[in-house]
Each structure stands twice: as C-alpha cells, then as structure tokens.
C-alpha cells in the first residue's frame, strides 16, 4: 500500500512538472474547461421529484432546464465508499479494491485503491484539482491543487471513521488536508468545521426521548451543512480550480432512519417516524440552497455535474433472507430505509449535467448512464483519452456534438 502511494507520488511528480509547464503555456492561449462536480450521497429521485414539482428545489430545477438528467445505474449492494471509488476509477469494486465500508477488517481508505483515480489523471495532465468533503478520500492524496477529505475520515470520538463527524482539528490517523499547510489556513479562515455528517443515534440513545433526540440530531446536521457551505464558498472564492469536486453526505444518513415511511412499511415506529416527517425531504431543500451557493461561482462556460451514488428506499421484500439486510451502518440504528440491496437497480443514483455543448432539458430514459461513465465523461471534457482499464463510456448522448471534441470548442 505504501509502495503504491509512493509510486503514485513519483508518477505524479515525474509527469506533472513538464505537463504543468506545458499547461501554463497552453493556458495563455486557451483556458482549460472548468468542471464542478457535486456529489450528493444517496440522493433519492422518488423524494426529490415531488419537491421539484412543488418548486422547492429551484436551483436543481434550473440545472435540469439547462442540461441533461436521469437515473444513474449503480453497482450491486451500493454504498458510499464502494460507489465513490467506482466514480473515481471507472472500475469494478473488486478491481479498485474498495468493496465497502470495511475491507479486510479495516475502514475503507485511499491506500486500498488499486486503480488510478481521476484526480491523479487530471493532475498529471496539468488540470488544477480541488476536492472537498468527497467521501472515501481519506487519507488525502497529492493533487495539482488541494484535497480535503470527507466521509470515512478518522478522528476523536470517531476512531473507526465510519459515519461520524470529527472536526478538522480532531482528525487522527492520516492527513485530511493536502497540501498540509492549507489546514492552518482553513482553521483560521473557515473555522474548525466538521468533516463528515453526524453519526445516527442508536436505539438506546432514542428510547424514551425520541423527539428531543431527533431534533438535537437534526440541529447538528444543519450546523454541519452550514459549515460545509461556508467551506465551499471559501474554496471557490479563494482557491478556484479547473476541476472541483464537492461532497454532501447528510441526506443519506437522514433517510436511513427518518425516511417518511407509512404505517404499513416495515420498521414503522410512530415515536420516531411520525415526529419529523419533513426531515428527509427538508435535507434536499437544504441541499438546493448549497447548490445555489455553489452556482454563484459558476459561469456559462463551466460544466456543473451533480451525481448521487445510489438512492435509498424503504425496507422491502426478502429483508429477512437477504444477506445484505440491515447491514447498513453498523446495525445499531433503527434503519427504515436503505440502499445496499443486492440489486443495485432497486436504488439507482441520479445524474444532472449542464455546461457548454450539453443538450438542454434532456431526460435520459432507463439506464443510459451509469456510475462507471462519470470519470470517462470528465476526461472527455478535458480532451484526455479514456484509459483502457475504465469500464464506462463517455456520455456522448448528452452533448450536442458527440464528436469527442468538446475540449477543443
Ligand atoms: Zn447510507
């Protein structure tokens, strides 16, 4: 693992310097495309579609009108590290090595990646890269820009790194910020923000005072989202990069135990599920505001891509016999909705894209797009050839001219 990290470092330094110089020479002639990717953990189309109809997600609506959108086919038994590492590499979980939250008894981390991630490819090609709060990026890796880790970051009171919220100052067991000097700058200018979303309360925490526990948890989630919005605003203002990837992860966690299920759904507990029925949809309304803050930094020449790694659905048939049943998140929480169903098509993710040369108001039907297609499509925008190991394809159907010349326009 260490060998692989050093190898990647050497490859990057060997390749980046001449390319960076070349890139600078080029950049005076023709600027590189700008791409902003926003990852929303577990965005569920069944929940956001009614909100779109009600006009409660105006920013996402504007992206849809100006761009292409649809379901995103995901992998089997999808969860965040498994799918994000597929986003990063366009290879199967068994190939990239990050098969789940825990791999060989160890919390998933970037040292496990056996295939080259997109941030490394872009960096080598002289593209400036900025990433913040993207899941499964801990410990951070060197890039031609900055990287701030997200979900699965280890720290105080979050020693296993699984679905908990260490503050930046509390991170342990690896670096959460690259370059390291940026950490002090962030602490000074943004404050000591939470890197990930809050851990869900256990059944024991909830028993007897469900309403108070739910409200306290939701308040913390709101605080974390405010801090992340502030962080994104700071980074986009002070450290603009050609390629930027930002992550949000509170939505999925809220859905797991506060999905607005009906009394006939498995797991319904009125003490929990009748208390804040708006809590889960509200997460998407809150996300839409984050999106609005990001869009303020975006011009018409910037590609904006919003992706979700999977959806989330109420518990369903075969829960008792499915080997993945109730395995989400440590088995401690009163989970009423989940996503690691054996058939990934039960919980597709979602995809939204707008930018120069992308068709307007294009609805992708069925499963035209998959999680494997994100990295090849981003490389395509930068005019970088898709490496042989990548299993996805360029989503040429979303571009007005599918002549593979997007970057040259
Ligand atoms: Zn989840």
């Amino acid at each position: 693992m260490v060998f692989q990290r050093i190898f990647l470092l050497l490859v990057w330094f060997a390749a980046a310097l001449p390319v960076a110089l070349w890139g600078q020479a080029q950049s005076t002639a023709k600027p590189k495309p700008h791409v902003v990717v926003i990852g929303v953990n577990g965005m569920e189309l069944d929940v956001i579609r009614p909100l779109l109809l009600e006009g409660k997600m105006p920013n996402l609506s504007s992206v849809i009108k100006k761009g292409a959108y649809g379901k995103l086919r995901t992998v089997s038994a999808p969860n965040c590290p498994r799918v994000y590492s597929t986003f990063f590499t366009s290879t199967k979980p068994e190939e990239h090595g990050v098969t789940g939250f825990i791999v060989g008894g160890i919390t998933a981390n970037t040292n496990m990646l056996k295939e080259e991630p997109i941030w490394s490819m872009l960096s080598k090609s002289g593209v400036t890269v900025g990433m913040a709060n993207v899941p499964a990026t801990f410990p951070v890796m060197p890039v031609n820009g900055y990287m701030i880790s997200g979900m699965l970051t280890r720290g105080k009171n979050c020693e296993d790194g699984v679905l908990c919220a260490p503050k930046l100052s509390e991170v342990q067991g690896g670096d959460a910020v690259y370059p390291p000097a940026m950490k002090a700058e962030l602490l000074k200018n943004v404050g000591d923000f939470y890197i990930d979303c809050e851990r869900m309360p256990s059944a024991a925490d909830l028993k007897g005072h469900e309403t108070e526990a739910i409200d306290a948890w939701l308040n913390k989630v709101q605080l974390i989202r405010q801090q992340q919005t502030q962080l994104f605003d700071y980074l986009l203002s002070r450290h603009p990069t050609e390629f930027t990837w930002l992550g949000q992860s509170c939505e999925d966690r809220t859905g797991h135990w506060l999905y607005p299920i009906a009394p006939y759904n498995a797991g319904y507990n009125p003490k929990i599920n009748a208390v804040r029925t708006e809590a889960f949809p509200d997460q998407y309304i809150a996300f839409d505001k984050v999106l609005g803050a990001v869009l303020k930094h975006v011009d018409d020449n910037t590609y904006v891509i919003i992706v979700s790694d999977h959806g989330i659905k109420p518990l369903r048939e075969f829960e008792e016999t499915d080997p993945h049943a109730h395995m989400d998140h440590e088995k401690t929480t009163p989970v009423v909705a989940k996503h690691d169903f054996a058939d990934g098509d039960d919980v597709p993710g979602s995809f939204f894209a707008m930018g120069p040369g992308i068709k307007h108001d294009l609805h992708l039907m069925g499963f035209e797009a998959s999680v494997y297609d994100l990295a090849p499509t981003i490389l395509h925008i930068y005019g970088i050839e898709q490496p042989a190991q990548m299993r996805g394809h360029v989503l040429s159907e979303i571009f007005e001219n599918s002549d593979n010349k997007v970057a040259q326009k």
Side-chain angles (χ1 to χ4, degrees):
M1 302 303 170
V2 174
F3 166 78
Q4 191 201 1
R5 176 167 294 258
I6 291 168
F7 170 75
L8 284 173
L9 253 173
L10 287 174
V11 167
W12 186 73
F13 279 122
L17 185 61
V19 175
L21 292 173
W22 175 85
Q24 277 172 12
Q26 287 283 305
S27 66
T28 54
K30 187 172 281 186
K32 288 192 177 67
H34 282 224
V35 178
V36 177
V37 179
I38 306 171
V40 188
N41 190 4
M43 182 144 71
E44 172 52 56
L45 286 165
D46 284 354
V47 177
I48 66 163
R49 280 172 162 150
L51 298 174
L52 289 166
L53 276 174
E54 289 183 82
K56 289 181 173 170
M57 297 186 74
N59 294 303
L60 188 63
S61 287
S62 76
V63 174
I64 290 172
K65 281 201 186 73
K66 290 188 210 165
Y69 77 103
K71 292 191 284 287
L72 194 64
R73 173 168 266 166
T74 190
V75 300
S76 62
N79 62 45
C80 195
R82 183 173 166 87
V83 185
Y84 264 85
S85 300
T86 303
F87 278 148
F88 300 155
T89 62
S90 187
T91 60
K92 292 181 177 181
E94 297 72 28
E95 293 165 337
H96 59 63
V98 182
T99 49
F101 280 97
I102 309 288
V103 183
I106 301 167
T107 304
N109 61 74
T110 51
N111 292 314
M112 293 173 176
L113 276 177
K114 291 188 283 194
E115 298 287 352
E116 187 177 7
I118 187 160
W119 62 74
S120 166
M121 293 176 196
L122 293 171
S123 293
K124 278 197 246 173
S125 296
V127 176
T128 54
V129 171
M131 295 176 64
N133 289 156
V134 178
T137 57
F138 179 80
V140 288
M141 298 179 101
V143 286
N144 183 21
Y146 66 85
M147 187 185 288
I148 300 156
S149 63
M151 191 171 157
L152 297 177
T153 299
R154 293 170 179 231
K156 192 179 157 205
N157 300 321
C158 182
E159 280 72 13
D160 63 358
V162 179
L163 301 165
C164 31
K167 287 181 176 175
L168 179 57
S169 68
E170 298 170 341
V171 171
Q172 298 163 355
D175 284 336
V177 179
Y178 178 89
M182 197 181 188
K183 182 174 173 179
E185 179 200 326
L186 293 172
L187 287 169
K188 180 166 173 274
N189 296 322
V190 183
D192 196 9
F193 56 87
Y194 286 104
I195 288 212
D196 187 14
C197 198
E198 176 71 345
R199 197 193 291 268
M200 295 177 286
S202 68
D205 294 335
L206 287 159
K207 201 168 173 58
H209 41 94
E210 288 83 356
T211 302
E212 297 94 307
I214 290 169
D215 285 345
W217 189 84
L218 289 170
N219 285 341
K220 178 91 176 274
V221 163
Q222 191 182 2
L223 170 71
I224 292 167
R225 200 187 291 278
Q226 279 167 3
Q227 291 181 343
Q228 290 184 336
T229 310
Q230 207 181 332
L231 171 68
F232 298 164
D233 195 51
Y234 178 81
L235 293 168
L236 291 165
S237 309
R238 303 286 289 276
H239 294 278
T241 45
E242 288 152 346
F243 176 76
T244 312
W245 193 337
L246 309 169
Q248 290 271 281
S249 58
C250 286
E251 298 81 2
D252 172 76
R253 226 156 299 176
T254 309
H256 276 291
W257 68 294
L258 296 176
Y259 199 109
I261 61 171
Y264 57 79
N265 284 118
Y268 183 80
N269 174 352
K271 285 185 179 163
I272 295 170
N273 304 114
V275 174
R276 295 281 177 254
T277 50
E278 76 292 355
F280 183 44
D282 275 358
Q283 294 306 309
Y284 294 118
I285 295 170
F287 160 69
D288 195 74
K289 293 192 170 70
V290 179
L291 175 60
V294 172
L295 290 178
K296 286 196 180 113
H297 296 274
V298 165
D299 63 21
D300 287 345
N301 291 314
T302 303
Y303 294 87
V304 175
I305 301 173
I306 300 159
V307 284
S308 157
D309 47 348
H310 52 70
I312 184 164
K313 305 279 192 200
L315 302 177
R316 52 180 61 200
E317 80 277 20
F318 311 129
E319 281 303 301
E320 299 311 315
T321 53
D322 184 335
H324 298 286
H326 296 265
M327 292 297 283
D328 278 22
H329 309 168
E330 308 274 288
K331 293 192 256 183
T332 60
T333 310
V335 169
V336 293
K338 64 186 215 105
H339 45 76
D340 57 352
F341 296 107
D343 182 356
D345 285 356
D346 276 348
V347 276
S350 45
F351 174 86
F352 308 81
M354 69 173 194
I358 291 185
K359 289 175 185 166
H360 286 208
D361 210 8
L362 172 71
H363 185 179
L364 297 167
M365 301 292 175
F367 286 111
E368 281 185 75
S370 95
V371 293
Y372 292 100
D373 301 333
L374 180 67
T377 302
I378 292 167
L379 292 179
H380 167 74
I381 288 171
Y382 286 100
I384 301 168
E385 198 175 333
Q386 177 176 339
Q389 77 274 14
M390 286 194 168
R391 292 187 173 272
H393 70 277
V394 175
L395 289 169
S396 50
E397 52 271 51
I398 69 170
F399 295 101
E400 280 157 2
N401 296 316
S402 53
D403 58 358
N404 283 12
K405 296 282 184 227
V406 174
Q408 275 74 50
K409 275 182 192 166

